[in-house]
Amino acid sequence: MNTSELNRFIVVLIYGSLVLLSLLKLSNPLKVNRKANFWFGIFLFLWSSFWLDEILTLVKGAPVDVQSIVSVQIIQFLTPVMFYFSVLFYTNPSFKFRVSDLKYFILPLIFWINILLQRFGGFEDQTIFNYVFIGLILFQAIFYTGLSYFTIQKHKKRIQQFSANTEGINLNWLEYITIIIFIINIIYVVYNLSYDSKALNFFINGAFLLVIYSVGYYSLKQKEIYPLEEKQREELISIDEDQETEEIKKKLISDEELIRIKTQLEEIMDRQKPYLDSELNLIRLSELLSVSTHHLSYVINTGFKKNFFQYVNEYRIGYAKRLLKDSQSKLSILGIAYESGFNSKTSFNTTFKKLTGQTPSEYKNSSDL
């Protein structure tokens, strides 16, 4: 099998994988992250259209240039917009479209105008339009991947306000894929301007196939990020990622009430040890104290100068350190991680190293000396 034949085989795998994955996301058999998966499914289906001409060429045995069809191009330029919308709904399932959100269609509109001028403008020299076309593709890649990246970064900060275990809901996989797709698109556009883009097809398609398989694996593993109960979800989403600084400026409760809740919280953490529950979140802890999530978040941010993630995991690491020092304990490092409230060894090691400057193994060995 030569390079050309292998490339055709990869194209079939890419197209088939994207179409199948898009149907799985649209049907959403697990019924999780419904709105996000709907938009992500549309994105995947539109993304598959970029390989449609190669698929039809293989079927018909003659070159078919689907991407030269105006209607197909118009739809294809919505692909990055659909990706960004899926990111919006992953990070905020309560997001609602407003008139102001029409601004996200400005770039596709410019694309469409450029296409119509190319096709029906009557210009003999199309060189300038080709450069504008490629430039718009490059700018669009930078703009929407940039928006998606920063939206995910904000999401990572927000979830630390209400969750003590962010692994599985931090959308790391989506962040990495955003970066990889951006890099691949830049390489392809730059190569298209300078060289014969077809010479790069085999390598680009190979890279895309690996990315698509990664997308399939991690997106199908993605669990529900926010609680299913709408009221609870709204409460958590309304706790902004910048609350640590913003809400300190305005008092939600009196100083006396803050001290009372702070003292009650410390007593519960010491006596009941709710931090040992790996599923502990702001809602569960607020129910133990019989206070609102906003007030509890305010107390943790203002009274302890920490977010929820930092506050709870400091207790977990303190508990883990006692287990590591216990010479009678027969628990492994993984066992201690689970016993301390962590849901994976990776998150345990990362948090432990961040707070102590040592790995759990290093700390245990130093304690044994």
Side-chain angles (χ1 to χ4, degrees), residues 98-246:
R98 295 167 295 182
V99 175
S100 60
D101 294 319
L102 290 174
K103 62 180 178 287
Y104 297 120
F105 292 93
I106 292 175
L107 280 178
L109 181 62
I110 295 173
F111 266 119
W112 300 335
I113 293 172
N114 183 65
I115 291 172
L116 295 175
L117 287 175
Q118 277 185 298
R119 297 300 172 86
F120 309 111
F123 299 100
E124 293 183 3
D125 186 6
Q126 298 290 323
T127 305
I128 186 171
F129 285 105
N130 290 335
Y131 279 106
V132 170
F133 184 79
I134 295 172
L136 285 171
I137 292 177
L138 184 60
F139 182 76
Q140 190 180 41
I142 295 172
F143 181 75
Y144 286 107
T145 52
L147 271 181
S148 300
Y149 178 82
F150 287 114
T151 301
I152 294 170
Q153 294 305 306
K154 289 178 66 177
H155 167 76
K156 286 184 170 184
K157 291 181 181 179
R158 179 184 289 120
I159 59 177
Q160 288 193 355
Q161 291 289 354
F162 64 81
S163 179
N165 273 326
T166 59
E167 195 173 49
I169 63 171
N170 54 19
L171 295 176
N172 273 346
W173 66 273
L174 199 55
E175 177 187 353
Y176 299 148
I177 286 166
T178 299
I179 295 171
I180 292 170
I181 291 177
F182 169 75
I183 293 172
I184 293 175
N185 280 330
I186 294 298
I187 292 173
Y188 187 75
V189 169
V190 171
Y191 203 94
N192 192 64
L193 286 170
S194 308
Y195 306 98
D196 178 14
S197 61
K198 292 183 179 179
L200 195 65
N201 276 353
F202 170 71
F203 299 102
I204 290 292
N205 285 334
F208 270 127
L209 183 61
L210 293 176
V211 170
I212 290 163
Y213 283 161
S214 298
V215 169
Y217 176 75
Y218 288 106
S219 67
L220 293 175
K221 272 183 61 179
Q222 180 62 59
K223 63 182 182 180
E224 191 75 49
I225 297 173
Y226 290 91
L228 290 173
E229 206 279 310
E230 187 173 355
K231 184 179 179 181
Q232 291 182 342
R233 186 173 67 230
E234 294 288 349
E235 284 182 11
L236 296 183
I237 291 173
S238 66
I239 298 174
D240 191 74
E241 70 276 4
D242 294 325
Q243 179 175 296
E244 290 180 72
T245 56
E246 291 300 321

